[in-house]
Each structure stands twice: as structure tokens, then as C-alpha cells.
């Protein structure tokens, strides 16, 4: 808990209080009750706390550093086990960085502890290197020294576990821990996860600081504090412990907070099997008896808990989480179906844009490289969307065979993604020929999907198919419905349970998503794209972030969420982005707000990135493929919860949406490719002239690097 004051600098959000979503899962009547009793857990300290709360503790929490030998711990351990409880030790290596531990500098001490704990014989839960997604501990990934990385943390954690196993200390349960918020450069919830073979339980620490701190802390509900981290951890098939939590008195009603916290855990956090209170008068009065009302509320809240100190051996099913403070909450309605589980697993992702959907790979951006996926994983992304254009690689006459070399290449890139644990999406992207003559071209499109389905039928469930990206132009809504139905039937012949993503017309507008005809299929995910307001995201005009700007986003996303609830289909925000030449502060805030509001509504997301920097026409990138670096501000905006203290949505109903199309991702094609279709007749002459000049320059560059056969196709594209 030391130095945790910095944590909430990122979570002072009144916005979060607006989205305290709770799913109506099963009531968890077997919640284990634990506590740090405010001092080292002697027999008298344990008895005093139990007398105060009126119930035996299932779990007793202890903090020790790495200069502490087990001979010092043993009397406290005896007191815990004589009480019939489990001892959980937070093991703090103040003396070491993860590099030190990885390199063996602490091996002698770790070995002694392993041997002594083995000899002790009783089950002990060890929680080493906790809160590493913060910046206040010398072992943390976010530590300003930048000594620690995800890789060094993983190596250090594994080294500790391996030493214990080598010495036969099988009576230890290993607890992986995250702070409720990511704080510091390069931090994420799961980037430093050491792997299922090294972890028994996962855990989260978090606090409601109220208004106790001079830096401007604000009151937060339990859900606002914990839901983002909880949602992230539900993608791991491990039971979860709330390992440290408490509330201040000042700034709200602590008694009510306690009641609602335990109700929320039991009804909405079904993967949580234990809640461990932090009972100490420290930065503020965290104790259960900080007031008579708080104590009474606490005693009532824990009354339904079990006294069994051992959690169920089988992890509980992945639940429907809630919303709050940094990468990933969920819907407000109960749904444990496979598509909802998949969307929760997808979390925040990134598009591999301008790559396989270019006329030919390399003609719009750097070709796909395997190391991109290592970088995506290190950044904390959970899904990768891989747009693919099939047209230029497919015969134009029956039997419409896809070029084997290209199909092999797509599979190679897909395998790079799947092998790193990403939920991976492939689609049909820029295959705009289908709209020119739907009835005449649908057979070719069906044959393309028949071959895709056959080639990828044996891939893991983490591969998702998206039927068509952003249909627009001459294709009608009825034809899109027909296409979705036809292609889905083809996919189901070889992929009966694979998740399939469907959307509407007008460039996957939210307006058309809510009006599509939904096929009778239990494995569907709906998608829409969001690039509004166009004047800001694509033309760099003005700023963004007013009350009205944010209200507009909330109304749109609530509209989509309402459709999701009615139809019991989860949602994937497959693209969203802003051109890099937009106002910098507004651009960062837009990414932050869009991602926050989307994930608070349970949408999975994938930010558009096309790998292009420095182009007036196409720069929508935040990952540099050459330098292997991210735009840190944009990345943090996507992965961490933002602060909008001035935001409070107006209590007006969602209006009936108008019918304009969603703005396409200009980074995919030249701006004026869309002007005629959208009817943007007020574009200034100077801008149109600039677009024409840039278009000509780009055409010449691509033309010079292409083969004669490619030049023919490129000529058609431009």
C-alpha cells in the first residue's frame, strides 16, 4: 500500500460514477473474508479484530520484506493456523529490482525461505512483487528508473516459483497481483503476467480515497475502483482475490460504500472468491471501525460469508464484469454466452492497417513483420484486427480460386497473432467490387469465403471472421442482410461454432448496425466504426472535448448498447481514430474518451493504426513499425482510464439517430476517394487541390515500386 497515493491521480473521474454497471450474476454466498488487521498478526491482534467484526477470519494478511527470515514469520503463522485461517503474505523485495532477482542476486534468501516454508508444511499464499503495474515500488514496471520491464518481471516471478518448486515447497499457492489502475510508462494489467503454470490465484488492490487528499481525490464506488482491473483479469482462468481494499470516511458515506461494495462483489464479481480488507489508520482512516456506522455496515456485509478458508479448487466461470478505472468493463445485463465471453476476452486491440488490405502488401505501408505482434503484446493489447483484401489475389472467373501464395501469407500473419494469445480478426476489406453489381458478384464473394473458411477451419476459437468491412455505395441494406445470411451459412459448413462479426452499411455506421436483419445464429458479434466528428478527426479542424462533444458520444454508444441488450449480441468497435495533424490535446482526449466510454459499455475495441507517419493524407498511426515505438500519450489514452471531472451527461433520452454514414478511415485510402460518395461539397478548393497533389505523388511512388502486373491494378485503384 505504500506510496499508493499516486494511484488515484489517474482515477479522479466523476465520469466513472455515471457508468457503475453491474451484471446480475449468481449471488456469491461463499465469499471468503480476510483482513490485514493493522499490525503483524499475533494471536491477540487476530482475536481483537475478530471480536470487532464479530466473525472468524478466513484469511489473515501479512506484509514482510526480503530481509525477513521465516523464523520471524513462524510465530505469526502459528497464530493464523491455530485460528483456523489461511496466511497470505505480501512479499516485498525492497532490496531488489526484478533484474536483480532475475539474475540470481536473491537466490540464497529465496532458497532459505523455500526450504523453511516446506518444512513448516502448512499451506501459505505468497504474493510477491505486488502492484507492479504502478510506479511506486522498485520492482514495478512503471518505476521511473525504467530498470524493470514486463520481461524482467516475468523472469523474476518465475525464478522465485522455480526455486520453491526445486526445493519441494509445494505447500505454497502463488498469487499474482495488479493495482486497480495502470500508473507509469509501459504499464498494463497483463503484460507482466508470468503465465498460468506459475500462478494459482490472481488479485487486485484498490482504495476509495474520498476527498481526503490535497491533490484532489474524489469519491469513487467499489465498481469505479475495481472493474477495469477485474475485467482484465477475467481473461485469465484463475480465481480472483480482492487482496487490499478499503474506503475513506470523508467525501461520501463510508457505511453505504461498504454495503454496496460487498453486494457488488457477490452479485457482479462472480470470479472473486475472497475479499481482504486493509484495516489501518494510515494515509486516512481505513479501519472498519472508523465510525460506528461503518462498523455496523461492515459487520452486516460480511454476515453471509463462509468461514471455510480454502477456496474452490475449480475456477468459477468467467463472469460479466462491471465498469470503472482503466482497460475494460462490460454490459449491464447478464450474459454468459460464448460471444459475450469472447468480447470480454478481446478487450482493447489494434488494427494492422494498410497492410494486407492494400492493393498489394507493401504498397501502402511497411509489410507485416512478426515482431509487430511482440510489440502489440508488450503494449497490453488483447486483440488484433487484420484487414485483408482478397480481390486482387482471386481469379475473376469461376472457380474464383484465391492465389495459394497469398492465402499462405495471410495464414502466416494470422499464426503470428494467434501464437501470442491474441484474439484475431480477419475480414474482407476494400473488396468494394461486390457493391458495383451485387447480384452478379455475390457468387465470387461466396467462393472466396468458402476458401477462407476451409483454410482456417482448424484454427483456435481465438480466430474470428468478419464478413465485410464498411460496405457502402450501391449496395442496399437488403443486399447486406442477404450477404450476411449467405456468407454465414457458408462459414457454418466448416466452422460451426466460430465467432462471426456482422455489421451494417454506410461504412459500418452505428445507424445501420441497429437496423440489420439478425441471422438466427448463437455465435454472432455486431460491429460498428466511429470517426466522428469528421471535421475534427479527418480535416484537423477545431478542437474536441466540450460537454456537447462528450454528450454526443455517450448518446451514440448508449444507442448501440441498447441494441446489444435487446438482441443479446455483444459489440465490437472495430475502428476508431483521429488524423495525427488534429489538435494534439484534443486528439489524445478523443482517444481516451472514446475508448473509456466504449469499454464501459462492454464493447471490445480495436483502434485503427495504419503504420503511416508524416503524410498529410494518411497519417493515422500511433505505432511506428520501423522504430518499434508507440506514441506514448495515445497508447496511455487507450489503455488507461481518463479523467473528466467536468463531464456529467444531460438527462435527455437518446434521440432517433439521423442517417448520415459513419466517416470512413481516411488512413486506409485517399480522402477524395470518398468525397463523391459522401457529397462533401463544401470542401475548400485549396484542400481539394492539396488532396489531388498528394494523391498524384502517392500514385507515382507506388507505381515506381510496382511490377508491370501490379501497375495495371494500381492504375485501377487510383
Amino acid at each position: 500500500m505504500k506510496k499508493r497515493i499516486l494511484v488515484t491521480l489517474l482515477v479522479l473521474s466523476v465520469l466513472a460514477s455515471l457508468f457503475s454497471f453491474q451484471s446480475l450474476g449468481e449471488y456469491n454466498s461463499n465469499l471468503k473474508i480476510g483482513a490485514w488487521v493493522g499490525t503483524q498478526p499475533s494471536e491477540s491482534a487476530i482475536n481483537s479484530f475478530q471480536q470487532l467484526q464479530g466473525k472468524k477470519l478466513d484469511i489473515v494478511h501479512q506484509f514482510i520484506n526480503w530481509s525477513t527470515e521465516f523464523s520471524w514469520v513462524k510465530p505469526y503463522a502459528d497464530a493464523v493456523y491455530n485460528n483456523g485461517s489461511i496466511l497470505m503474505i505480501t512479499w516485498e523485495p525492497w532490496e531488489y529490482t526484478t533484474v536483480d532477482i532475475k539474475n540470481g542476486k536473491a537466490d540464497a534468501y529465496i532458497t532459505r525461505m523455500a526450504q523453511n516454508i516446506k518444512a513448516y508444511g502448512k499451506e501459505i499464499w505468497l504474493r510477491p512483487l505486488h502492484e507492479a503495474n504502478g510506479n511506486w515500488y522498485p520492482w514495478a514496471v512503471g518505476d521511473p528508473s525504467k530498470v524493470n520491464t514486463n520481461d524482467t518481471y516475468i523472469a523474476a516471478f518465475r525464478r522465485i516459483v522455480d526455486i520453491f518448486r526445486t526445493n519441494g515447497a509445494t505447500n505454497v499457492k502463488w498469487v499474482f497481483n495488479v493495482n486497480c489502475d495502470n500508473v507509469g510508462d509501459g504499464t498494463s494489467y497483463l503484460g507482466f503476467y508470468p503465465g498460468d503454470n506459475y500462478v494459482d490465484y490472481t488479485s487486485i488492490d484498490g482504495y476509495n480515497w474520498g476527498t481526503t487528499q490535497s491533490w484532489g481525490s474524489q469519491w469513487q464506488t467499489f465498481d469505479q475502483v475495481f472493474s477495469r482491473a477485474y475485467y482484465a483479469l477475467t481473461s485469465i482462468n484463475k480465481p480472483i482475490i480482492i487482496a487490499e481494499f478499503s474506503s475513506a470516511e470523508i467525501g461520501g458515506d463510508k457505511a453505504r460504500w461498504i454495503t454496496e461494495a460487498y453486494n457488488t462483489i457477490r452479485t457482479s464479481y462472480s470470479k472473486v472468491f475472497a475479499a481482504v480488507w486493509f484495516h489501518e489508520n494510515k494515509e486516512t482512516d481505513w479501519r472498519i471501525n472508523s465510525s460506528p456506522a461503518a462498523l455496523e455496515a461492515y459487520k452486516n456485509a460480511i454476515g453471509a460469508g463462509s468461514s471455510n478458508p480454502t477456496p474452490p479448487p475449480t475456477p468459477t466461470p468467467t463472469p460479466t464484469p462491471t465498469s470503472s478505472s482503466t482497460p475494460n468493463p462490460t454490459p449491464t445485463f447478464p450474459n454468459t454466452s460464448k460471444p459475450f465471453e469472447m468480447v470480454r476476452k478481446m478487450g482493447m486491440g489494434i488494427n494492422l492497417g494498410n497492410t494486407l488490405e492494400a492493393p498489394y502488401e507493401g504498397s501502402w505501408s511497411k509489410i507485416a513483420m512478426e515482431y509487430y505482434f511482440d510489440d502489440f503484446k508488450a503494449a497490453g493489447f488483447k486483440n488484433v484486427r487484420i484487414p485483408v483484401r482478397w480481390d486482387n489475389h482471386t481469379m475473376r472467373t469461376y472457380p474464383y480460386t484465391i492465389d495459394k501464395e497469398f492465402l499462405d501469407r495471410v495464414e502466416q500473419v494470422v499464426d503470428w497473432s494467434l501464437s501470442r494469445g491474441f484474439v484475431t480478426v480477419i475480414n474482407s476489406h476494400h473488396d468494394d467490387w461486390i457493391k458495383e453489381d451485387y447480384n452478379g458478384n455475390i457468387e465470387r464473394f461466396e467462393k472466396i469465403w468458402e476458401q477462407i473458411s476451409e483454410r482456417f477451419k482448424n484454427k483456435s476459437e481465438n480466430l474470428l471472421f468478419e464478413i465485410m468491412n464498411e460496405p457502402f455505395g450501391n449496395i442496399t441494406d437488403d443486399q447486406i442482410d442477404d450477404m450476411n445470411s449467405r456468407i454465414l451459412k457458408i462459414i457454418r459448413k466448416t466452422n460451426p461454432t466460430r465467432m462471426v462479426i456482422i455489421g451494417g452499411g454506410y461504412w459500418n455506421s452505428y445507424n445501420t448496425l441497429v437496423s440489420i436483419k439478425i441471422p438466427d445464429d448463437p455465435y454472432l458479434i455486431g460491429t460498428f466504426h466511429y470517426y466522428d466528428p469528421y471535421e475534427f478527426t479527418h480535416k484537423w479542424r477545431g478542437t474536441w472535448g466540450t460537454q456537447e462533444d462528450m454528450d454526443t458520444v455517450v448518446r451514440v454508444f448508449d444507442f448501440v448498447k441498447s441494441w446489444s441488450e435487446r438482441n443479446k449480441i455483444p459489440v465490437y468497435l472495430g475502428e476508431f481514430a483521429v488524423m495525427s495533424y488534429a489538435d494534439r490535446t484534443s486528439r489524445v482526449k478523443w482517444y481516451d474518451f472514446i475508448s473509456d466510454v466504449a469499454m464501459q459499455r462492454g464493447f471490445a475495441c480495436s483502434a485503427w493504426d495504419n503504420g503511416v507517419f508524416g503524410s498529410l493524407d494518411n497519417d493515422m498511426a500511433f505505432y511506428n513499425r520501423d522504430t518499434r515505438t508507440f506514441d506514448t500519450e495515445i497508447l496511455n489514452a487507450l489503455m488507461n482510464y481518463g479523467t473528466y471531472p467536468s463531464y456529467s451527461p444531460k438527462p435527455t433520452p437518446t434521440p432517433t439517430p439521423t442517417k448520415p454514414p459513419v466517416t470512413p478511415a481516411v488512413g486506409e485510402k485517399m480522402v477524395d476517394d470518398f468525397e463523391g460518395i459522401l457529397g462533401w461539397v463544401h470542401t475548400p478548393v485549396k484542400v481539394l487541390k492539396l488532396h489531388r497533389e498528394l494523391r498524384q505523388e502517392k500514385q507515382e511512388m507506388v507505381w515506381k515500386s510496382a511490377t508491370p502486373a501490379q501497375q495495371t491494378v494500381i492504375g485501377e485503384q487510383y
Side-chain angles (χ1 to χ4, degrees), residues 382-450:
K382 304 297 290 182
N383 78 80
V384 178
R385 184 171 179 257
I386 304 175
V388 183
R389 182 197 299 235
W390 303 95
D391 180 28
N392 294 348
H393 308 279
T394 303
M395 292 173 57
R396 297 181 184 273
T397 57
Y398 191 87
Y400 310 113
T401 303
I402 301 174
D403 177 68
K404 182 179 182 301
E405 184 177 349
F406 181 71
L407 201 51
D408 290 344
R409 173 58 171 165
V410 173
E411 183 172 20
Q412 180 185 42
V413 177
V414 166
D415 286 345
W416 288 343
S417 182
L418 291 174
S419 67
R420 285 156 176 83
F422 290 113
V423 175
T424 305
V425 179
I426 59 171
N427 67 4
S428 169
H429 206 101
H430 288 325
D431 284 317
D432 302 332
W433 49 272
I434 185 70
K435 70 181 177 61
E436 300 301 334
D437 179 10
Y438 177 78
N439 292 328
N441 289 332
I442 187 61
E443 180 185 43
R444 182 174 182 238
F445 196 58
E446 288 176 319
K447 286 296 182 182
I448 288 173
W449 268 108
E450 187 177 287

Side-chain angles (χ1 to χ4, degrees), residues 352-366 387-393 406 429-430 668-669 698 702 713-714 717-718:
L352 185 66
N354 277 29
T355 308
L356 294 179
E357 89 279 19
Y360 290 93
E361 186 180 4
S363 61
W364 283 0
S365 188
K366 187 179 176 72
V388 183
R389 182 197 299 235
W390 303 95
D391 180 28
N392 294 348
H393 308 279
F406 181 71
H429 206 101
H430 288 325
E668 300 178 65
K669 302 179 78 173
K698 180 175 179 181
V702 174
V713 177
I714 293 169
Q717 299 299 319
Y718 293 100

